[in-house]
Amino acid sequence: MAQNFPSNSQLPSDISTAISRTAKPSSEFYSLFSEEEVLGIIHALEIRREIPLKYSYKGRGAKIWNDFYLKYIIPTWYKTSNVEIDLLKDNFKYLNDNIKIGKKVNIVDVGAGNSYPVKNFIQRLNKLGKVNKYIALDISEELLNLSKNNFKKWFPLVEFISSTIDIENSCVPKTLFQNKASLEIDDTAKIFFHLGVTIGNHQNRDGVLKNFRDSMGKNDFLVFTNEIGSNSTWDGIVRGGCKYHVEGIYEWVKSKIGIKSEDCELVRKYDLKTDSIVANMKLRHNYTINFNRIGIDKKIEISEGEEITIWRHHKFEIPKLLQELERSGLELIHYSTDKYKSHIMVICKRMF
């Protein structure tokens, strides 16, 4: 005989915990991402329980990141130092000295964001008449719009080009270097920047480095920054992006995927498998995430207690960094660290 529960009663705990909640991504989710990107998110959730960080820079995620940057990263009257800007300043002479005399360079900023990190560098190089054009590349159209507004205000006379790109999945298109008049490929040397310690956020660092290598010519440089040190010695204290940016991403992901706040919690920890610090969304109940739009019909079952990675960062130890570069066909030609030896700026050329 079926048992009837009074409308104001609680389900027995063993029954309530067995019930699976259903999450349905919002309409904004489907408007932000292409079919290919939605399939990429589904694949990452299925295979490694992750929503790749790169997707969190789209839509309102661009504002979340820019607000974090302006509040905590950009130099101000009470915080005059910025590790990345300082490292670019320290390496300006090396890069400038290695630009051929009388030649200009194209600045290719991959993961340009709001373009603040390269502002002072370009300003100095532009005063010497060495900037040909600035090419801003990012996965987020919203960040590219922000980059354009900033750059045009700072450098109204420098040519600005932008394009969306996912550097994990593709090289930089050579068409971006075409001369408008002749449509021939511009062979001007390029400095590829990948700043914001972004290399450490990628799931597939080898793929990113190989895509950079295949995008570069013999006279080009790749310049990137990252933290250095041992990930496994993390003291458990959340700082910087691991604290403030992650909090914004956590709210963004819950909203877009449709998981209720009371059904999950934010967990930050060291992940041995990837040798990275991660921020994960831990589910308190069984969940079914139902992707059903733009020709996609897919349900993903996630059990109570499972965790979904929404942010990751990998620090490099220099011997391991050299191995990754060599494996990807890149040659380290110069590097420097900040005064605390917490961050590194790496300058590479491609191997031939």
Side-chain angles (χ1 to χ4, degrees), residues 33-34 57 64 83 102 136 143-144 171 174 180-181 196 218 236 243 263 279 285 290 315 318 322 335 338:
F33 301 114
S34 66
Y57 295 103
I64 291 170
V83 169
L143 283 177
L144 288 176
C171 300
K174 286 185 167 53
K180 291 180 181 178
K218 63 179 182 179
K243 176 173 176 58
D263 292 344
H285 303 282
N290 185 6
K315 293 181 182 180
I318 291 177
L322 290 172
Y335 78 88
D338 69 316

Side-chain angles (χ1 to χ4, degrees), residues 199-200 202-210 213 224 226 231 274-276 314-332 348 351:
I199 192 69
H202 292 298
Q203 187 273 330
N204 182 11
R205 293 190 304 275
D206 278 2
V208 170
L209 292 171
K210 286 176 182 175
R213 190 262 179 200
F224 67 85
N226 206 63
N231 302 284
T274 61
D275 189 30
S276 302
H314 172 81
K315 293 181 182 180
F316 280 110
E317 293 181 278
I318 291 177
K320 294 287 183 64
L321 171 61
L322 290 172
Q323 290 176 10
E324 289 195 19
L325 291 174
E326 184 175 350
R327 199 162 59 230
S328 303
L330 291 165
E331 178 186 3
L332 174 66
C348 312
M351 294 178 181

Side-chain angles (χ1 to χ4, degrees), residues 32-42 55 58 139 166:
L32 286 176
F33 301 114
S34 66
E35 180 179 351
E36 182 182 2
E37 289 171 331
V38 173
L39 290 172
I41 291 170
I42 290 172
Y55 295 123
K58 292 200 163 194
I139 195 171
D166 180 354

Side-chain angles (χ1 to χ4, degrees), residues 230-239 242 268-270 277-278 315:
S230 172
N231 302 284
S232 60
T233 60
W234 182 52
D235 59 13
I237 299 173
V238 293
R239 307 174 178 88
C242 189
R268 301 171 176 93
K269 64 183 183 181
Y270 168 69
I277 307 302
V278 297
K315 293 181 182 180

Side-chain angles (χ1 to χ4, degrees), residues 86-194:
D86 290 347
L87 282 170
L88 268 176
K89 181 180 178 181
D90 293 343
N91 286 278
F92 179 85
K93 185 177 187 304
Y94 180 88
L95 287 165
N96 182 50
D97 287 351
N98 282 277
I99 297 171
K100 290 184 179 179
I101 296 175
K103 297 292 185 180
K104 293 187 175 186
V105 293
N106 292 324
I107 304 296
V108 186
D109 198 356
V110 182
N114 57 21
S115 294
Y116 266 100
V118 297
K119 177 185 176 183
N120 292 346
F121 181 90
I122 292 176
Q123 189 172 49
R124 292 181 68 184
L125 205 60
N126 194 42
K127 282 183 178 179
L128 299 176
K130 290 190 173 182
V131 178
N132 186 45
K133 56 188 168 187
Y134 174 73
I135 301 170
L137 305 175
D138 206 287
I139 195 171
S140 166
E141 290 183 9
E142 293 81 7
L143 283 177
L144 288 176
N145 289 334
L146 184 62
S147 168
K148 181 177 181 179
N149 290 336
N150 286 338
F151 195 85
K152 286 296 187 182
K153 179 175 61 179
W154 301 330
F155 309 106
L157 301 181
V158 177
E159 183 180 357
F160 176 94
I161 297 173
S162 67
S163 183
T164 54
I165 185 175
D166 180 354
I167 193 63
E168 274 195 296
N169 294 331
S170 64
C171 300
V172 177
K174 286 185 167 53
T175 52
L176 292 172
F177 310 122
Q178 281 182 341
N179 289 310
K180 291 180 181 178
S182 64
L183 296 183
E184 293 180 355
I185 299 298
D186 182 358
D187 62 356
T188 302
K190 298 173 285 293
I191 301 176
F192 289 83
F193 284 116
H194 197 47

